[in-house]
């Protein structure tokens, strides 16, 4: 059963004529990095302060300060941090030169870091009625909190932004017995799908950890849902297509390099093994030619014999040289060659392994 058949059974809409194997080190890491690039562990949300009667963008971003009720709300959803000494996620804020203010609000939730862009904590410019320094951060957020000081209408059209897709409007209710109550409403663009958790009826929360938990889950789910809107979906599709193309090219290149290296090592081992056998053959030939022929055993007839008298006594053979003056003289040569061949075969096997 071919791999193409199995893949088509798992995903019938795919049309694949062939598959290219991936054979390279750390290929699984590249695949995991591509698959997990959509995972977001850091979030940045805007916090816009709206006083009573403010219905324009210039008025919303033109507030120099905020009330004590907003301070209590900020202390519930996070804690103040000094940007100069902050080591966590900074959400695009300047932590070196203080160009985005001295303080901000930061928190952690379910292993995720959250930085708030509070409009009144960002620098205020006397000469800029649009307060672009503030809008540059909040306008590039996807979800924002609108904290209303009183019952004042709010419309998403008040803030011109290509990125802001969802707003969570929080309005403090009159206090009861020292506790704070907040009325909450949610608005989003029409192409943003529903995101939870749902609003209770009535949509009023008491200040505390339960409201903080609900609000942070709502903010994170809102941004995740906004990614499915038409604008972000197109961007995500182009990004994934580019990442997938780069992944295929990288895996193909690494596979070719890996297989080419293996082929070169195999060719090198093969050439080395061939050279060893050639050397063995040459050694055999040279040792065979250098052997002195033994008289009476097919020696060279052109070598003149000594004219010794038949009456003379034959010379006594030397005991050290006559030991090998017989056909067994080839034994040590065979032993050396056999040992050399065995060592060569062992080297070839180790090289191929």
């Amino acid at each position: 059963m071919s791999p193409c058949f199995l893949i088509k059974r798992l995903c019938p809409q795919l049309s694949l004529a062939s598959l290219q194997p991936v054979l390279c080190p750390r290929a699984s890491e590249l695949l995991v990095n591509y698959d997990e690039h959509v995972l977001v562990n850091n979030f940045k949300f805007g916090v816009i302060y709206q006083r009573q009667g403010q219905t324009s963008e210039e008025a919303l971003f033109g507030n120099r300060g905020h009330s004590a009720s907003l301070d209590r709300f900020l202390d519930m959803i996070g804690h103040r941090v000094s940007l100069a000494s902050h080591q966590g996620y900074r959400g695009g804020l300047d932590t070196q030169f203080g160009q985005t203010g001295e303080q901000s609000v930061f928190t952690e939730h379910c292993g995720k870091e959250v930085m708030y862009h509070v409009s009144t904590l960002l620098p205020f410019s006397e000469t800029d009625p649009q307060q672009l320094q503030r809008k540059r951060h909040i306008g590039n957020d996807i979800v924002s909190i609108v904290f209303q000081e009183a019952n004042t209408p709010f419309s998403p059209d008040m803030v011109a932004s290509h990125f802001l897709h969802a707003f969570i409007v929080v309005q403090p209710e009159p206090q009861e017995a020292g506790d704070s109550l907040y009325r909450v409403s949610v608005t989003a663009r029409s192409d943003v799908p529903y995101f939870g958790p749902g609003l209770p009826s009535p949509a009023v929360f008491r200040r505390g950890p339960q409201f903080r938990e609900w609000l942070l889950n709502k903010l994170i789910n809102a941004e995740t849902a906004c990614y499915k809107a038409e604008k972000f979906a197109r961007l995500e599709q182009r990004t994934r297509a580019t990442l997938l193309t780069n992944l295929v090219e990288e895996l193909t290149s690494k596979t070719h390099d890996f297989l080419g290296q293996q082929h070169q090592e195999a060719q090198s081992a093969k050439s080395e093994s061939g050279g060893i056998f050639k050397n063995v053959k040459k050694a055999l030939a040279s040792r065979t030619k250098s052997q002195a022929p033994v008289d009476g055993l097919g020696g060279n007839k052109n070598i003149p014999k000594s004219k010794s008298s038949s009456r003379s006594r034959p010379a006594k053979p030397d005991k050290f040289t006559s030991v090998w003056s017989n056909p067994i003289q080839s034994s040590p040569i065979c032993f050396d060659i056999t040992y050399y061949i065995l060592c060569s075969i062992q080297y070839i096997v180790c090289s191929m392994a």
Side-chain angles (χ1 to χ4, degrees), residues 267-283 340 344 348:
Q267 290 292 337
S268 177
K270 183 178 179 181
S271 61
E272 289 178 2
S273 63
I276 291 172
F277 284 113
K278 289 181 180 178
N279 294 334
V280 172
K281 186 176 180 181
K282 290 181 180 179
Y340 191 57
S344 303
I348 295 169

Side-chain angles (χ1 to χ4, degrees), residues 24 35 50-51 78 82 84 98 121 140 145 147 159 161 194 202 224 245 256 275 302 311 316 319 324 332 343:
C24 63
D35 191 45
Q50 183 183 21
R51 294 184 185 272
S82 174
L121 295 181
N140 287 326
I145 299 173
F147 188 86
V159 182
S161 171
Y194 170 80
T224 303
T245 301
H256 289 169
N302 296 326
R311 297 179 181 180
K316 185 178 180 181
K319 63 180 179 179
W324 303 110
C343 292

Side-chain angles (χ1 to χ4, degrees), residues 219-232:
L219 289 169
I220 293 174
N221 292 340
E223 181 164 326
T224 303
C226 289
Y227 290 144
K228 300 178 182 179
E230 182 180 358
K231 181 181 182 64
F232 295 109

Side-chain angles (χ1 to χ4, degrees), residues 47-49 51 64-81 103-106 116 118-121 147-149 170 172 175 180 182 207:
V47 178
I48 302 174
Y49 180 60
R51 294 184 185 272
R64 296 197 180 192
H66 55 258
S67 63
S69 60
L70 179 56
D71 277 331
R72 286 173 54 83
F73 176 75
L74 294 176
D75 292 340
M76 182 193 67
I77 65 174
H79 59 275
R80 299 288 183 98
V81 293
Q103 291 183 337
S104 188
V105 179
F106 174 84
Y116 298 98
V118 184
S119 61
T120 51
L121 295 181
F147 188 86
Q148 295 180 326
E149 196 62 57
V170 179
Q175 295 185 3
S180 297
Y182 299 97
R207 183 180 188 275

Side-chain angles (χ1 to χ4, degrees), residues 200-243:
S201 182
V204 178
F205 295 87
R206 188 175 300 276
R207 183 180 188 275
Q210 292 182 352
F211 178 43
R212 176 184 181 276
E213 182 85 8
W214 182 93
L215 184 60
L216 284 170
N217 289 332
K218 193 72 171 178
L219 289 169
I220 293 174
N221 292 340
E223 181 164 326
T224 303
C226 289
Y227 290 144
K228 300 178 182 179
E230 182 180 358
K231 181 181 182 64
F232 295 109
R234 290 198 305 266
L235 294 175
E236 174 65 16
Q237 186 177 5
R238 289 200 297 265
T239 302
R240 287 189 68 86
T242 302
L243 291 175

Side-chain angles (χ1 to χ4, degrees), residues 264-323:
Q264 291 178 359
E265 291 178 355
Q267 290 292 337
S268 177
K270 183 178 179 181
S271 61
E272 289 178 2
S273 63
I276 291 172
F277 284 113
K278 289 181 180 178
N279 294 334
V280 172
K281 186 176 180 181
K282 290 181 180 179
L284 274 171
S286 60
R287 293 292 294 269
T288 304
K289 291 180 181 179
S290 62
Q291 291 180 21
V294 180
D295 190 16
L297 297 176
N300 193 345
K301 297 181 180 180
N302 296 326
I303 299 177
K305 297 182 180 180
S306 60
K307 297 180 180 181
S308 58
S309 174
S310 59
R311 297 179 181 180
S312 60
R313 181 182 297 178
K316 185 178 180 181
D318 190 280
K319 63 180 179 179
F320 296 103
T321 58
S322 61
V323 172

Side-chain angles (χ1 to χ4, degrees), residues 3 7 18-32 244 246-260 262:
I7 292 178
S18 62
L19 291 175
Q20 179 179 345
V22 175
L23 300 172
C24 63
R26 303 180 64 182
S28 59
E29 295 182 12
L30 297 176
L31 295 173
V32 170
L244 182 59
N246 295 337
L247 175 64
V248 172
E249 293 177 354
E250 187 173 3
L251 289 176
T252 302
S253 175
K254 289 182 178 295
T255 298
H256 289 169
D257 294 341
F258 180 74
L259 293 179
Q262 293 292 98

